[in-house]
Amino acid sequence: MMFSYRQALEAVIGKLQAIARTPATESIPLSEAVFRVLARDILSDRDYPPFDRSIRDGYAVRSADTRPGASLRCIGELKAGDSPSIAVTPGACMQIMTGAALPEGADAVIMIEHTSRERDTVHLDRAVKPGQHVVRRGSEQAAGQTVLSAGTRIGFAEIAAAAQVGAANPVVTRKPRIAILSTGDEVVDFASTPGPFQIRNSNSVSLAAQVGLTGGEPVVLGNARDSLDDLRAKITAGLEADALILSGGVSMGKYDLVEPVLSEFAAEVIFDAVAIRPGKPVVFALCKGKPVFGLPGNPVSTMVTFDLFVRPAIDILSGTEPRPLPFIEATLTASLSEKAGLTHFLPAKLTWRSDKAHVSSVPWQGSGDVVAMAHANCLLVVPADRETIEAGEHVHVLPRDF
Ligand code: AMP
Ligand code: MG
């Protein structure tokens, strides 16, 4: 039976969750922690804000003293970082800057724009409510509260939250090591000059980039020839890593030898075909306890099947939840027809006009057309039950962020 891409995705997630062990951890400098996954909760070291904080430039006041036309006596000034040493008594106020601590006695801030001043007398043009323009001590986080939970993937906002509470060396999971093995007698190193019928290896380097962007540690093993011996040896080496990605050698050709070698190794093949295009012959297996992905060799197939099936596996091996596919909805600008029965993921261009997403497929020569993919910025999804989609209809797209 051929899986739909959703069934295949669920199978990958289910298997990975079943076999994944708690990842090893390490403590690293916060400045290097972007993309990593927290292995321990980060707690707030103190209340945040640590004091009642003014969020406007103005005057710290007793709100009960404020009304349109009221006058208050200014008894001092507080800037961010100052420690307030005197209290605001009835009829008094203190000039206060954004980020400064509210003095004793005051319970609100009136914005400078709503006042006028003659020497030490401040005239108000309105009343303020208790607590106005003040963020109370501990209202963002109380001391000891969890700021970021174990399992969180660290982005720039998480870096700031960790920095605020002084988590200078967070404990994170080790990046899973993902072996990458390309296959094919015709494949040569991309830095070399190919013979007339040879092909430069683009998959190893694009897969390494995708692995890195997903938070894994790529281990590039080079290229295996289409021979049982070479595949046996290199797959054996690849199984030392936390997961193995192969490219090529999974179609129906006489020299597509990845599956024969996996079956020699008594691998459990979970699927070896998915109802998608590009990427239909994609293989997912467990071999000697390790997840193995046999991605079709055509470069666009390799990229698409990585995004659909390998990314969630790397998330799980990293100790975090598999991120959902980031579908967005867009209006199709030109009608298209594709063979029914397969979900198509077509290289396409997403544009924004008047805040609305529009998408059109880019011309391409099929799954070998890697330049078309480079000119695209998303994959346009044509559902398996649709043969034709008209211009103006809504479709799902998967944007590519890099
Ligand atoms: P395969 O999946 O092995 O049948 O390969 C399908 C197509 O993808 C063939 O035209 C290959 O030459 C091409 N191909 C396979 N591996 C790579 C690679 N590593 N880099 C670029 N193209 C490749
Ligand atoms: Mg091949």
Side-chain angles (χ1 to χ4, degrees):
M1 186 199 70
M2 186 156 59
F3 279 180
S4 70
Y5 85 90
R6 287 203 174 276
Q7 290 170 318
L9 183 56
E10 275 162 30
V12 169
I13 292 172
K15 278 291 169 191
L16 264 291
Q17 283 172 337
I19 63 162
R21 286 185 297 250
T22 312
T25 64
E26 59 188 329
S27 174
I28 60 167
L30 181 60
S31 56
E32 293 165 19
V34 72
F35 277 136
R36 301 294 287 265
V37 172
L38 279 178
R40 297 210 195 118
D41 293 350
I42 290 182
L43 308 183
S44 195
D45 63 326
R46 54 178 181 163
D47 288 341
Y48 282 90
F51 47 82
D52 294 343
R53 181 177 60 200
S54 173
I55 54 168
R56 292 288 186 274
D57 295 314
Y59 292 92
V61 294
R62 303 169 74 98
S63 58
D65 290 351
T66 65
R67 61 179 186 285
S71 296
L72 299 173
R73 191 167 40 86
C74 184
I75 57 170
E77 175 185 296
L78 287 166
K79 57 186 189 327
D82 285 353
S83 143
S85 54
I86 53 170
V88 172
T89 46
C93 66
M94 281 180 90
Q95 188 161 14
I96 193 164
M97 319 302 153
T98 301
L102 204 69
E104 277 278 323
D107 67 345
V109 170
I110 183 163
M111 287 164 64
I112 193 124
E113 293 89 329
H114 301 150
T115 65
S116 58
R117 184 160 172 178
E118 286 166 89
R119 291 208 191 84
D120 285 346
T121 306
V122 180
H123 303 290
L124 316 187
D125 73 1
R126 68 193 62 198
V128 292
K129 297 193 194 79
Q132 200 159 342
H133 304 316
V134 173
V135 177
R136 288 285 170 203
R137 173 178 179 156
S139 62
E140 292 170 2
Q141 265 84 49
Q145 198 177 329
T146 301
V147 173
L148 298 168
S149 316
T152 301
R153 197 178 280 285
I154 302 172
F156 55 85
E158 289 78 6
I159 295 245
Q164 175 172 269
V165 300
N169 294 287
V171 182
V172 298
T173 63
R174 279 186 189 274
K175 292 184 185 182
R177 289 163 47 82
I178 312 295
I180 295 168
L181 177 60
S182 68
T183 72
D185 286 349
E186 78 282 25
V187 174
V188 297
D189 189 87
F190 70 85
S192 68
T193 304
F197 300 104
Q198 292 180 320
I199 298 291
R200 289 195 180 94
N201 186 350
S202 65
N203 286 343
S204 286
V205 72
S206 67
L207 281 170
Q210 284 183 293
V211 166
L213 287 168
T214 309
E217 182 76 48
V219 181
V220 178
L221 296 180
N223 187 67
R225 298 184 58 79
D226 291 316
S227 82
L228 291 169
D229 278 347
D230 204 24
L231 279 168
R232 279 184 200 115
K234 293 199 163 106
I235 288 176
T236 302
L239 292 170
E240 296 291 315
D242 296 307
L244 168 62
I245 306 174
L246 294 126
S247 92
V250 291
S251 307
M252 304 300 281
K254 186 172 160 199
Y255 295 97
D256 289 322
L257 300 175
V258 168
E259 280 191 88
V261 172
L262 289 178
S263 70
E264 267 184 33
F265 286 2
E268 177 194 359
V269 176
I270 319 296
F271 56 75
D272 64 359
V274 178
I276 55 172
R277 181 176 283 166
K280 188 167 153 224
V282 59
V283 174
F284 171 52
L286 293 181
C287 190
K288 303 187 196 301
K290 301 288 174 67
V292 177
F293 294 90
L295 309 184
N298 268 312
V300 181
S301 309
T302 312
M303 294 173 197
V304 168
T305 49
F306 178 96
D307 267 354
L308 293 176
F309 306 121
V310 187
R311 268 168 75 117
I314 294 178
D315 283 339
I316 295 167
L317 292 171
S318 306
T320 188
E321 290 286 310
R323 70 198 95 178
L325 289 170
F327 289 116
I328 63 169
E329 212 175 68
T331 306
L332 190 66
T333 52
S335 64
L336 50 83
S337 295
E338 295 294 340
K339 181 178 163 27
L342 301 173
T343 304
H344 289 72
F345 295 87
L346 306 173
K349 195 94 186 181
L350 182 66
T351 51
W352 294 88
R353 272 180 267 138
S354 341
D355 275 353
K356 293 213 159 48
H358 295 265
V359 66
S360 52
S361 59
V362 300
W364 74 321
Q365 299 301 319
S367 55
D369 193 348
V370 70
V371 174
M373 188 69 169
H375 292 166
N377 63 1
C378 70
L379 296 169
L380 188 169
V381 186
V382 182
D385 59 356
R386 294 295 301 273
E387 207 148 346
T388 306
I389 305 187
E390 301 298 339
E393 285 195 62
H394 286 198
V395 291
H396 279 123
V397 305
L398 288 169
R400 167 159 67 88
D401 25 40
F402 286 101

